[in-house]
Amino acid sequence: MKKPTIIIYTDGSSRGNPGPGGWGAIIAWGDDKSKVESVKHAPLETARARSVSPSLMGSKVIELGGGEKHTTNNRMELAAAIAALGVARDLARLPPPKVTQAGHKETPSISLVSPHGTLVNLRSSFGGQDNATTIDMRVDSRYVINGITKWVYAWQKNGWMNSKKEEVLNRDLWEELAGVVSDIQLSGTTIAWNYTPGHAGIPGNDRADEIATTFADGKPTKLFDGARSLYSVDLGIHTGDAKKIAAKKSKPKSSAKAYSYVSLVAEKFMKHATWAECEKRVKGVTGAKFKKAFSADDERSIEKEWRG
């Protein structure tokens, strides 16, 4: 039997970095042909506002979004992952198997009523070793992926100090994300972290970006919560638009007119109208980054590239 899969797209955005920020996430399960009753709930305002727990039976899509008045892009990327995985964890609410004195694992049996009134055993239908759930995390932030799959273990071991003996930035969110991931893994669920390039024509990522930016701008878009068959965004596996990906990789001629100049100093991303302004900020600063941007999309792509 094919293992059930929860698909998640996440994205974060910040205007000014630091500045007003937002995050967006899409959570989907089941195929796009079945219909289930929609469970209505209010949009999230922050990553920890609250979680939702509809049944995993059937097929459904939930969009989440939130924002903060003063934050960074990296914090919003982390907030999106925390919120989405928190919901995925709570969907089934499956505790880890208990180990008896004899060393045997006892798998708890948890049941709830599905939207159609049927009593369903969640461990047997959407969890457990024989039919374990997989969470397909499609994230466009290498900072998040590398942090949770590579760096976080060393950070925890070293008292949340990085390789430069400096305190890890965004420790509060990293600890929260690590906790959610640990809960999920203990329940027998697998998380697959898949890098998904941003601004590459991937519908799921584009929608998550749209949610994030509207919250950052203080004009939140309406969030979808209903049957997957009614969802207009294609969440199938996409490699992206070849032309858009090629355009991102190719460097425009240096003589082309600049839309703006961007810089990154001490983790603070800024946009400049002139090269003189940009040069004044980065000149003589160790580790500073700067670049010419040719559009608003180019600005966002550069920022994401620098922040991993």
Side-chain angles (χ1 to χ4, degrees), residues 170-189:
N170 306 317
R171 172 180 172 177
D172 58 329
L173 296 182
W174 280 118
E175 287 187 299
E176 192 166 358
L177 179 58
V180 174
V181 169
S182 178
D183 288 346
I184 290 172
Q185 291 174 334
L186 286 172
S187 75
T189 295

Side-chain angles (χ1 to χ4, degrees), residues 152-306:
V152 72
Y153 308 107
W155 290 341
Q156 291 172 321
K157 183 179 179 180
N158 297 327
W160 291 96
M161 303 294 286
N162 62 23
S163 58
K164 297 180 181 179
K165 306 300 180 182
E166 299 170 341
E167 187 174 349
V168 173
L169 290 176
N170 306 317
R171 172 180 172 177
D172 58 329
L173 296 182
W174 280 118
E175 287 187 299
E176 192 166 358
L177 179 58
V180 174
V181 169
S182 178
D183 288 346
I184 290 172
Q185 291 174 334
L186 286 172
S187 75
T189 295
T190 300
I191 304 175
W193 294 88
N194 297 303
Y195 175 69
T196 304
H199 307 287
I202 299 174
N205 174 265
D206 288 346
R207 175 56 181 165
D209 176 72
E210 180 184 5
I211 296 171
T213 54
T214 60
F215 272 87
D217 292 337
K219 300 177 181 179
T221 184
K222 184 177 180 180
L223 301 177
F224 182 89
D225 181 350
R228 188 168 175 180
S229 60
L230 302 177
Y231 194 55
S232 61
V233 180
D234 184 357
L235 299 180
I237 298 177
H238 293 275
T239 57
D241 186 302
K243 291 184 178 179
K244 289 186 177 182
I245 294 176
K248 287 181 64 176
K249 292 181 178 180
S250 63
K251 295 182 178 180
K253 295 180 179 179
S254 59
S255 59
K257 185 178 179 180
Y259 174 81
S260 68
Y261 296 88
V262 295
S263 63
L264 183 70
V265 175
E267 293 296 320
K268 185 176 181 180
F269 182 86
M270 290 188 67
K271 304 170 188 177
H272 312 277
T274 66
W275 164 243
E277 292 177 3
C278 182
E279 183 181 30
K280 183 178 180 180
R281 183 175 189 240
V282 303
K283 192 172 183 178
V285 179
T286 303
K289 295 182 179 182
F290 56 90
K291 199 169 186 178
K292 181 192 292 187
F294 296 89
S295 66
D297 279 344
D298 196 25
E299 288 177 340
R300 289 191 287 270
S301 295
I302 294 170
E303 182 178 1
K304 282 188 176 292
E305 177 187 340
W306 285 349

Side-chain angles (χ1 to χ4, degrees), residues 7-12 24-26 73-74 76-82 84-85 135-149 174 177 191-199 202 204-205 208 304 307-308:
I7 296 173
I8 295 178
Y9 282 93
T10 64
D11 201 7
I26 302 168
N73 186 78
N74 280 345
M76 293 293 92
E77 294 281 3
L78 286 166
I82 291 167
L85 286 174
I135 298 177
D136 183 355
M137 285 291 292
R138 302 177 183 181
V139 183
D140 69 358
S141 170
R142 293 191 187 278
Y143 171 72
V144 171
I145 294 175
N146 289 334
I148 198 61
T149 62
W174 280 118
L177 179 58
I191 304 175
W193 294 88
N194 297 303
Y195 175 69
T196 304
H199 307 287
I202 299 174
N205 174 265
K304 282 188 176 292
R307 293 186 174 280

Side-chain angles (χ1 to χ4, degrees), residues 22-127:
W23 58 265
I26 302 168
I27 307 168
W29 64 92
D31 58 45
D32 57 5
K33 296 179 181 179
S34 59
K35 296 184 179 181
V36 297
E37 179 182 335
S38 174
V39 180
K40 296 182 179 179
H41 53 83
L44 297 182
E45 292 304 323
T46 68
R48 289 156 298 285
R50 71 185 187 91
S51 63
V52 293
S53 300
S55 166
L56 275 170
M57 302 308 101
S59 174
K60 191 172 176 64
V61 174
I62 299 172
E63 292 184 339
L64 306 176
E68 296 180 9
K69 293 182 179 180
H70 190 75
T71 187
T72 65
N73 186 78
N74 280 345
R75 288 188 68 82
M76 293 293 92
E77 294 281 3
L78 286 166
I82 291 167
L85 286 174
V87 170
R89 174 194 60 192
D90 295 342
L91 282 170
R93 296 185 179 277
L94 300 178
K98 294 181 180 179
V99 180
T100 66
Q101 292 183 346
H104 300 294
K105 290 185 177 180
E106 290 185 349
T107 304
S109 178
I110 301 176
S111 300
L112 54 72
V113 178
S114 75
H116 301 293
T118 304
L119 189 64
V120 182
N121 184 295
L122 291 179
R123 177 64 73 178
S124 63
S125 61
F126 218 96

